[in-house]
Amino acid sequence: MTEITDANDIVWGGQEINNQTLLLASNAEENDYTKCLLIDLKGTNSNINNNLNLSENNEIIGKAATIYGKLTQSLLGINGMQNIAKATLEGADIPIIEEGNPLGVSMNTLSDVVANDFKDAIDGSIYQLKGWTNIPTQGLAYWKGCKKKW
C-alpha cells in the first residue's frame, strides 16, 4: 500500500496486522483514521519494535502508549511519526537495547559494573542490587542467592 485513502485501508483489531506500523489515537475506541497518528516502526530500536509491533503483541491493542519521534504530515498520506527515539507502554519505559551491547555495559568500566561480592546474600533471595538494573534479554532474568561458607 502506498497511501491510506479510507477506513477500509486500515486493519482494525488483531488480524493480518502489519508489524511495521500502528495507529495511535487519543482513546482506544477511535476508529476514524483521520484522528489517528500513524506510527512507523521501521528502523526503530529492535526492543521498541518487539514491544510495540501488533502482529506479535495484539494484546496491547487499546493500551496507553507514549511515543517520541519525528512528526510528518504525510506518512502513507496521513499524519504520522517516524524515527522513534523513545516509547512507553502503560506508563513504563520500553528500554532501548543496543544490538551489540544488550546490557548497555561500558567496556571501560566492565569490572566495576559486574563485580559484586554478594556479602549481604540471603539464601533464596532474588536480587536487584542497588545501582544495578536487571535487563532480561529474553524471558525472566534475576540473580538468586545461595550463601556458601569459604
Side-chain angles (χ1 to χ4, degrees), residues 54-117:
L54 298 177
S55 64
E56 296 175 18
N57 303 292
N58 63 20
E59 73 279 0
I60 69 168
I61 293 173
K63 303 283 184 183
T66 305
I67 301 175
Y68 301 84
K70 179 184 174 192
L71 291 173
T72 179
Q73 290 184 337
S74 185
L75 184 60
L76 297 179
I78 66 172
N79 292 327
M81 185 179 290
Q82 298 175 300
N83 304 326
I84 307 308
K86 179 180 175 184
T88 67
L89 185 58
E90 294 287 289
D93 285 341
I94 298 173
I96 303 282
I97 296 178
E98 296 175 39
E99 294 296 323
N101 185 8
L103 298 178
V105 175
S106 165
M107 297 311 282
N108 295 329
T109 58
L110 185 59
S111 62
D112 294 337
V113 174
V114 299
N116 185 19
D117 61 10

